[in-house]
Amino acid sequence: MPELPEVETTRRGIAPHCENRTITQVTVRDGRLRWPVPGNLAELLEGAVIHTVDRRAKYLLIGVSSATVAGSLIVHLGMSGSLRVITDQSEPLLHDHVELALDNGIRLRFNDPRRFGCWLWSETPDQHPLIASLGPEPLAPEFTGRMLYRLSRGKKTPVKSFIMDNHVVVGVGNIYANEALFKAGIHPRRAAGRISLDRYNRLVNAIRETLSAAILMGGTTLRDFVNSDGKPGYFAQSLLVYGRSGEFCPECGHPLKEIRMNQRSTVYCSKCQR
């Protein structure tokens, strides 16, 4: 599943082509996504101007307005979705379900083989049920070790599950949780309520470092993910522990172990992480 860095990479890739451009045509080839694409999407958007392409957690928020409407498209890539900037006359592929044609000749094309993504419309996206209860962004100033320390008091939840809870902080997916916990030296099964403020400060720094590096590298290479220019990300080549079970720890040389937590692969070093 595309995680926060993949979505941020997509946002940065499409924004320069879309912002301040007028939508000339909306084509919905198959609206049967995770939630149905609004039937009046073309009526809402054709003639409107895209002002912003923002991101909240793993949702892209495409802000548009016209003389009659103002709001945002809420786009989620789901399990296998991608947004591509089409500059030629290439024909749509089998799973190219939604397309926006812009006044600069570019088309923004949404491909989603598994159809777990979404295209929704909201005049108040911050209040939309998918957005309203989300925690802070992991790269925002309000995400701090003290915040994690305060929220974790009394919790027996494993710290890996705690930081992957979108109500606590958004965008720390499985791959990046593995990497950040390794960098911070924290065992993924340790109870969230038994971690000190100092260690949470280290964990926040590790989360920021890991996600920032992944964004710069274009996101983690996943089977179904492609950037908006069609090229995969390359961060997977520099992962320290995820996907490396049985290999030697890059810090101490001890073999890395793998366990399952909430049906997710969890790789750690039993000597470095306590």
Side-chain angles (χ1 to χ4, degrees), residues 156-164 174 177-178 181 186-192 242 257-268 273:
K156 297 181 180 179
T157 306
V159 64
K160 180 171 179 270
S161 302
F162 178 64
I163 63 173
M164 290 180 64
N174 188 52
N178 275 269
L181 288 166
I186 299 173
H187 195 290
R189 276 185 168 161
R190 178 168 287 278
Y242 185 82
K257 295 184 177 181
E258 181 175 11
I259 55 176
R260 305 293 291 184
M261 296 180 63
N262 297 326
Q263 308 304 314
R264 301 287 191 91
S265 172
T266 304
V267 183
Y268 68 99
Q273 293 173 254

Side-chain angles (χ1 to χ4, degrees), residues 28 30-39 41 59 74-78 97-98 110 112 114-121 128-131:
V28 180
D30 190 340
R32 297 173 299 166
L33 301 181
R34 184 174 183 181
W35 298 284
V37 176
L41 196 65
Y59 295 96
I74 301 175
V75 178
H76 195 286
L77 301 180
H97 301 311
V98 185
F110 178 71
D112 188 6
R114 300 183 195 175
R115 296 210 300 258
F116 279 106
C118 76
W119 277 60
L120 302 173
W121 169 259
H128 192 279
L130 293 174
I131 306 291

Side-chain angles (χ1 to χ4, degrees), residues 171-208:
V172 185
N174 188 52
I175 293 173
Y176 302 109
N178 275 269
E179 294 293 297
L181 288 166
F182 174 74
K183 290 178 181 178
I186 299 173
H187 195 290
R189 276 185 168 161
R190 178 168 287 278
R194 296 185 59 196
I195 295 173
S196 68
L197 174 58
D198 179 64
R199 299 188 84 196
Y200 270 127
N201 285 333
R202 275 186 278 160
L203 180 56
V204 164
N205 289 336
I207 289 171
R208 291 181 188 275

Side-chain angles (χ1 to χ4, degrees), residues 24-92:
T24 58
Q25 186 177 22
V26 177
T27 304
V28 180
R29 298 185 180 90
D30 190 340
R32 297 173 299 166
L33 301 181
R34 184 174 183 181
W35 298 284
V37 176
N40 63 339
L41 196 65
E43 179 184 346
L44 286 168
L45 298 182
E46 288 179 357
V49 175
I50 297 175
H51 295 290
T52 57
V53 181
D54 295 321
R55 179 190 55 75
R56 182 72 174 99
K58 294 194 287 185
Y59 295 96
L60 290 168
L61 303 178
I62 303 175
V64 305
S65 69
S66 68
T68 56
V69 298
S72 291
L73 280 168
I74 301 175
V75 178
H76 195 286
L77 301 180
M79 295 288 292
S80 59
S82 63
L83 271 174
R84 305 191 314 282
V85 173
I86 307 299
T87 58
D88 55 23
Q89 298 303 311
S90 59
E91 292 296 317

